[in-house]
Amino acid sequence: MKFGVALVALAAASQLRLMHNSFERPHYTSIAPESHPIDLSQYKDDFVVRTPYTSETLDFLRHNNYRIWSQNGLKRTLDVQMNASSLAHYGSRFDTSKAEVIIPDLAQAIYETYPESKEDFKIENTDFHTMSEVFFKNYRDLEDIHQWLHLLEETYPDMIKLEKIGDTYEGRPFRLVHLSVQDKDVDHGEKKTVVITGGVHAREWISVSTVLYSIYAMVRHWEENPHDSKTLAKLDFLFIPVLNPDGYVYSWETDRLWRKNRQPVVGGDDGSCRGVDIDHSFDYHWTPSSDSACGEEYAGETPFEAYESRLWDEYLNKTNEAHKIYGYIDLHSYDQEILYPYVYSCEHSPRDEENLIELAYGISKSIRWTSGKYYAVSPACLDKDSDLLPDLGSGTALDYMYHHRAYWAYQIKLRDSGSHGFLLPPKYIEAVGEEIAAGFKYFCKFILTSGEAFA
C-alpha cells in the first residue's frame, strides 16, 4: 500500500513536533470545556498536512469533503486538514512520502487565536489612540469592531463616515468606512477612490485586523503629517473590514475555520447546507462550482447569489459617479503573495500588465523594507490553477473589480507562509498591519502619480 511506511513516518513526525511545541498558553485540555471560546473537541486529534498535488489528488480531496486550507499553484502544494483516519484514506490512493505536518495540534492552535478575556477592551475609555493601542493586541469580534469604528467616527467626524449599505441574510448590517480628507481646493468629483476589503472568507481574521489597522495607519499619518493633507485630499477611501459579517460571527461562535457566508443553499443530502463562497459569486466569468453545495468553494447557482456580493455591487452601481475607483486591494490569508488579474484564466492578459507588475513589485519592496518579509508577485491564475480547474478562478472579486471598476487591482495574501496558516497568533497583528500599511502608502502614491493616464 502506498501509505504504509510514509504514513507511519508522518504520524511519528507529528507526535515529535507536538512534544516540542511551545504553546503560548496552557493547553486547552487543562481548562474546563465550559471556559473554552467554542467547542474545541470538534478539532481534537486534527492536524494540517502540506502535500504535493496533481489535478487527480485535488479532485479527490474536494469530492471527499477534505478541508483544503490553501492551494499554492506555484509550489504545487496543498495544505489540508486531516486526522489519522482521513490521512489513511488519502494515503491509500496517493503517495504521502513528501507530505509534512505543519500544524500538529489544530485545537490548541485555534484556542490561542481567541482573546483570553474581553476585559482588556472597554469602550468606556473614549481616547481613540489609547483604545487602538489595546485594540490591536488581539483579534476582535464583530461587536468590538463596530464599537471601535463608532469611536473612530466620533473622534474624526470630518474625516470618517460609517455607511450601512444593506443587511446580510441573518440581518446584520453590512458596513463600510468612508475616509475622506476635506480640502476646499479639491472638488469631490475629482477624487480618485481606493477600495480596501477584508474578511471575505470568515476564518481569515488577520485580513479583518489588517483592514482596520490600515484605517488607523491612515488617520495616524494624517495627524503626524499635516503637510500631506492636500495630497490625501485627492483620494477617497472605502474600507470594508468585514465583507462577510455572518460568516465572521459564526467563526467566532461556532466554527473557527468557517469560510463561506451563512445563507441557506439548495443541495446536500438533507438540504441543510449553508453558505456561498462570496469570492466565487461575482458576475465576471462566473462558472458553476464543481464543489458540492456543502463544499467550501460552492459558488451558488447564479452570479451574485451571495447576499454580500450583491449588496456591494448594488452600492457601486448607485454611487458609480461619486466614486471613480482607481485602486482596489482585497486582503486574504495566507501565503505572502501579491496577485494581479486575471484569476479566471492565464490565457488572457490584463490591460497594462507591465504596469500592474511594476506596481506589485513596488508594494512588495515597501513591505520588505518595513519588516523584512518577502511577498511574492504572480498572476492570480497561477496561484489558483485556473487553467487546471476553471471553476477555481471563476467569479472572483479581483477580476470583477478590475474589469468593471478599478484601474489597479490586487489580491494580497497576508502572513504567514504556512506554519500557522489561518491561525496566525495575535502577536503578529501589528507587524502585519505595519507592513501592509507601508505597501498601501506606496500603492496610493503610485495611483496619484500614474493615474492621470486613465482620467
Side-chain angles (χ1 to χ4, degrees):
M1 299 174 69
K2 293 181 181 179
F3 69 93
V5 176
L7 181 60
V8 172
L10 190 61
S14 174
Q15 291 301 314
L16 184 63
R17 290 184 63 172
L18 181 58
M19 289 170 58
H20 289 86
N21 191 40
S22 56
F23 298 127
E24 297 284 334
R25 301 182 194 171
H27 199 266
Y28 78 97
T29 55
S30 68
I31 299 167
E34 56 268 23
S35 298
H36 293 169
I38 59 172
D39 177 15
L40 294 171
S41 66
Q42 62 187 305
Y43 314 106
K44 183 182 178 183
D45 300 326
D46 280 9
F47 45 85
V48 179
V49 175
R50 177 167 293 169
T51 180
Y53 76 94
T54 63
S55 59
E56 184 181 5
T57 57
L58 179 58
D59 186 66
F60 172 85
L61 291 166
R62 292 180 80 203
H63 285 89
N64 283 276
N65 296 318
Y66 282 73
R67 207 166 206 171
I68 299 173
W69 278 34
S70 177
Q71 176 183 342
N72 191 309
L74 297 175
K75 298 177 183 177
R76 307 295 298 170
T77 60
L78 290 173
D79 294 351
V80 188
Q81 181 178 335
M82 296 187 181
N83 55 33
S85 176
S86 60
L87 178 60
H89 184 215
Y90 176 74
S92 67
R93 290 279 305 275
F94 304 103
D95 182 16
T96 60
S97 61
K98 295 183 178 179
E100 61 172 327
V101 175
I102 59 173
I103 300 179
D105 187 347
L106 182 59
Q108 180 65 17
I110 285 174
Y111 171 61
E112 293 189 3
T113 62
Y114 287 88
E116 292 187 70
S117 169
K118 290 196 69 172
E119 292 303 311
D120 63 350
F121 183 72
K122 293 182 181 296
I123 202 66
E124 287 82 2
N125 185 334
T126 56
D127 180 78
F128 172 73
H129 287 286
T130 301
M131 287 304 304
S132 296
E133 290 176 5
V134 175
F135 186 77
F136 292 108
K137 298 299 182 185
N138 280 303
Y139 293 112
R140 298 297 173 183
D141 62 24
L142 194 63
E143 179 184 356
D144 282 357
I145 290 170
H146 286 168
Q147 289 182 345
W148 186 82
L149 290 175
H150 282 299
L151 179 58
L152 174 69
E153 184 181 37
E154 290 174 1
T155 307
Y156 302 97
D158 294 332
M159 184 193 305
I160 302 291
K161 180 182 178 183
L162 301 185
E163 297 183 32
K164 176 184 171 183
I165 64 174
D167 292 299
T168 65
Y169 171 78
E170 294 183 339
R172 294 186 176 88
F174 188 98
R175 289 197 172 107
L176 62 82
V177 181
H178 186 186
L179 187 156
S180 185
V181 175
Q182 304 302 313
D183 190 307
K184 60 182 177 58
D185 296 326
V186 180
D187 183 81
H188 189 271
E190 297 175 357
K191 289 174 176 276
K192 296 177 174 66
T193 298
V194 176
V195 177
I196 310 292
T197 58
V200 175
H201 295 138
R203 60 194 177 190
E204 297 173 9
W205 289 5
I206 188 61
S207 71
V208 173
S209 293
T210 304
V211 175
L212 295 168
Y213 197 93
S214 296
I215 301 171
Y216 172 65
M218 185 63 63
V219 171
R220 189 178 62 190
H221 177 81
W222 173 75
E223 288 187 324
E224 295 174 355
N225 301 275
H227 59 279
D228 275 357
S229 292
K230 286 192 177 295
T231 302
L232 288 174
K234 297 176 182 178
L235 294 170
D236 218 17
F237 300 95
L238 299 177
F239 295 91
I240 305 182
V242 188
L243 206 145
N244 181 5
D246 293 346
Y248 188 69
V249 170
Y250 193 77
S251 74
W252 274 83
E253 296 181 350
T254 305
D255 181 1
R256 173 66 179 83
L257 298 173
W258 186 257
R259 171 185 170 97
K260 302 181 290 183
N261 71 6
R262 291 293 299 161
Q263 67 191 74
V265 296
V266 177
D269 296 336
D270 58 0
S272 63
C273 295
R274 280 185 177 267
V276 174
D277 183 350
I278 298 171
D279 203 28
H280 284 311
S281 186
F282 289 84
D283 192 12
Y284 184 71
H285 285 272
W286 182 88
T287 303
S289 176
S290 61
D291 209 353
S292 69
C294 294
E296 291 191 328
E297 294 177 330
Y298 179 62
E301 297 186 312
T302 59
F304 290 126
E305 185 173 331
Y307 271 57
E308 296 78 7
S309 63
R310 186 167 67 250
L311 289 172
W312 178 226
D313 181 62
E314 289 172 353
Y315 172 82
L316 290 176
N317 287 334
K318 291 176 183 177
T319 62
N320 189 40
E321 292 302 318
H323 296 296
K324 297 177 181 178
I325 298 174
Y326 279 72
Y328 173 67
I329 294 179
D330 186 23
L331 297 178
H332 286 256
S333 69
Y334 55 96
D335 261 343
Q336 295 177 204
E337 295 178 318
I338 302 172
L339 307 175
Y340 59 89
Y342 285 108
V343 188
Y344 79 92
S345 175
C346 290
E347 294 181 2
H348 299 87
S349 298
R351 63 180 184 270
D352 305 300
E353 183 175 23
E354 290 184 4
N355 289 330
L356 279 170
I357 294 171
E358 177 189 350
L359 175 51
Y361 275 108
I363 296 170
S364 179
K365 183 181 291 185
S366 296
I367 292 171
R368 191 165 64 253
W369 283 352
T370 300
S371 65
K373 296 297 180 181
Y374 175 69
Y375 280 61
V377 173
S378 73
C381 60
L382 291 179
D383 184 76
K384 275 292 189 181
D385 265 340
S386 302
D387 292 334
L388 182 67
L389 291 172
D391 64 286
L392 290 179
S394 70
T396 63
L398 175 61
D399 283 0
Y400 180 77
M401 290 293 291
Y402 177 70
H403 185 78
H404 291 289
R405 307 289 183 184
Y407 294 117
W408 312 95
Y410 300 94
Q411 182 184 104
I412 299 182
K413 290 190 172 181
L414 306 168
R415 297 196 205 178
D416 59 4
S417 57
S419 57
H420 298 289
F422 301 119
L423 308 174
L424 191 70
K427 65 183 180 180
Y428 296 110
I429 291 173
E430 291 176 275
V432 174
E434 283 292 332
E435 68 192 21
I436 296 303
F440 182 43
K441 289 176 184 176
Y442 182 91
F443 181 70
C444 293
K445 181 179 179 182
F446 189 95
I447 288 173
L448 285 172
T449 57
S450 305
E452 288 79 1
F454 304 101

